Amino acid sequence: MALVTDPSLAAKAIPLVVIHTNNYDAYLAHADARTRTWLSATEFRARPHTYALVPAADGGIAQVLVGVGDVGDVYALSHLPLVLPAGEYTVAMPRDSALGDFAAALSWGLGSYQFSRYRKPARAPANLLVTANDALMRAEKVLTATTLIRDLVNTPTEDMGPQHLADVARGLAAEFGATFHEWVGDDLLKHNFPAIHAVGRASHRPPRLIELTWGDEKHPRVALVGKGVCFDTGGLDIKGAEGMRNMKKDMGGGAHALGLARLIMALKLPVRLHMLVSAVENAIAGNAYRPGEVVATRKGLNIEIGNTDAEGRVVLSDALTLACESAPDIVIDFATLTGAARVALGPELPALFTNRDEWAGRLIDASHEQQDPLWRMPLWQNYNEMIKSGIADIVNTGGPQAGSVTAALFLEHFVPKEQAWIHLDLFAWNPKAKPGRPEGGEAQTLRAVLAMLEKQYGK
Ligand code: BES
Ligand code: ZN
Ligand code: ZN
């Protein structure tokens, strides 16, 4: 992740001088005449996400001025690693010391990411020389989890099917001493996960429910649930070409559950972790589930299938039921659940739904503090009438309005009233590159949820 700690590199590392836009005049007042002339000639203004190479007398690079807007911006340095000349850089005794070690390392790491599975990157990122301390260790763990999520989402379906998600979970279990379990194919029927099986049975790769369990049984229980639809064709209610193009990312919720589980274990958060991912492909074949069908669930509620493209809530129903069976302190699900959430909030803002106001407050506070945005949406109970079925207990489509709300209300039917629950409907994707947010798969709400859990359960 382009962070280096070897102190012997300090002598040759090029200083990065971080300057908040509003303090630029003060900086200029103290700069030597030659530097001032250079900066004015090159029209540097210390605007956020800009930089200026300042030449030394011998023609080398004396230092790099870095414009920064907001204090402590987690993307402050993200524009640099892939544009600065190769080599080592170090944050100089900051004129604007508000950029702490954590934000410096995190912003550098987020901006160094390249998806390199299928081609060699054009260049390696430049290195940031950092001090080995707690802030760095934390930043590295957050970066590893973020990279995991980005890589999983970016990997096309042929290389990221249900079994690959299971392999990732199995690998995490081995690394952190967790227990891995999975129910595959007909096992799902035998152990009463009929809804996951119904959605996933048409794929040549069998559906799975993936489970990780970790931590001291005496610690508070935290359950993470992820939608792992490795490809969403829409099923028999097939998507159009444009809507289907990016559906390799429909396992983004599962990737988030895996990434957050990794972080919780790496940071040894004192919780009893229970992670579940419903891993399926929503495929088309002679045995595909059909519109109008009624699908049984683990909970005992029968779901009428109004549309086979609303498959996420169907596969989540069984996983949520299992998660709630051990009555955890909190259940958190992650899912690329609805197009409607994107219509409402766009790609950057995941939708938060929860049946507990106090948890909403905790997560929103953590979201602000971590610069990891999300927005609360309502579980508007009156709209339950939109998901009433004529022939079964509930239907998986809610009509043209409030689509993310009716999807969340659907999930709520599988969560007991006394169970605290958070549902995050997210995009897991950057449609357009921004500093620290490359186009493609993205971790969203990861830092916010982690911070919330640490605050609630930390040592
Ligand atoms: N995976 C999609 C939702 C989605 C689409 C998320 C695009 C992010 C980007 C989901 O399974 C789906 O297709 N939902 C339908 C539900 C509808 C048929 C009730 C939707 O939102 O259109
Ligand atoms: Zn769908
Ligand atoms: Zn889907």
Side-chain angles (χ1 to χ4, degrees), residues 168-435:
V168 172
R170 201 182 283 105
L172 290 179
E175 186 173 349
F176 295 101
T179 305
F180 169 85
H181 189 77
E182 62 177 336
W183 296 267
V184 184
D186 289 345
D187 259 11
L188 289 166
L189 295 177
K190 210 166 113 199
H191 291 93
N192 196 21
F193 302 104
I196 298 174
H197 186 272
V199 172
R201 71 192 182 203
S203 170
H204 62 297
R205 298 185 290 191
R208 295 163 188 252
L209 177 59
I210 300 164
E211 180 184 58
L212 265 191
T213 317
W214 173 88
D216 190 331
E217 283 183 46
K218 292 191 281 298
H219 287 152
R221 298 186 69 96
V222 171
L224 308 179
V225 177
K227 169 181 172 180
V229 175
C230 293
F231 196 83
D232 184 6
T233 64
L236 292 172
D237 288 311
I238 191 168
K239 287 181 183 293
E242 194 156 320
M244 203 189 297
R245 174 64 180 84
N246 263 345
M247 281 299 117
K248 67 172 183 182
K249 79 173 176 71
D250 212 21
M251 33 55 71
H256 277 72
L258 288 162
L260 181 57
R262 181 181 220 294
L263 252 177
I264 287 171
M265 296 189 292
L267 290 166
K268 299 191 173 67
L269 197 67
V271 296
R272 173 73 171 172
L273 176 66
H274 189 202
M275 187 215 71
L276 295 166
V277 176
S278 303
V280 304
E281 268 188 76
N282 190 16
I284 298 171
N287 64 340
Y289 81 138
R290 308 171 189 85
E293 211 87 73
V294 173
V295 169
T297 64
R298 182 176 186 80
K299 177 103 174 175
L301 295 176
N302 287 325
I303 302 172
E304 183 186 7
I305 302 303
N307 190 312
T308 59
D309 196 10
E311 82 297 339
R313 65 199 77 180
V314 181
V315 299
L316 284 172
S317 69
D318 281 350
L320 280 171
T321 301
L322 178 61
C324 295
E325 282 168 16
S326 44
D329 218 52
I330 182 74
V331 174
I332 307 171
D333 79 68
F334 301 88
T336 51
L337 199 64
T338 67
R342 305 292 65 86
V343 172
L345 298 174
E348 285 183 18
L349 269 183
L352 154 67
F353 295 86
T354 173
N355 59 358
R356 290 291 186 282
D357 289 342
E358 64 273 23
W359 280 101
R362 288 167 193 154
L363 186 49
I364 289 165
D365 287 350
S367 148
H368 289 306
E369 181 194 302
Q370 297 296 318
Q371 301 167 47
D372 193 11
L374 49 80
W375 207 264
R376 189 175 186 188
M377 301 273 279
L379 288 164
W380 189 254
Q381 295 300 320
N382 283 355
Y383 294 167
N384 270 312
E385 69 183 27
M386 297 184 187
I387 52 174
K388 278 200 180 123
S389 164
I391 62 166
D393 295 308
I394 192 169
V395 58
N396 76 334
T397 44
Q401 296 178 322
S404 71
V405 179
T406 51
L409 288 170
F410 179 98
L411 296 181
E412 195 182 21
H413 279 81
F414 297 88
V415 177
K417 286 253 174 309
E418 60 279 7
Q419 175 64 57
W421 162 68
I422 290 170
H423 159 56
L424 293 162
D425 188 341
L426 41 83
F427 199 49
W429 191 264
N430 298 318
K432 202 167 123 257
K434 299 202 171 109

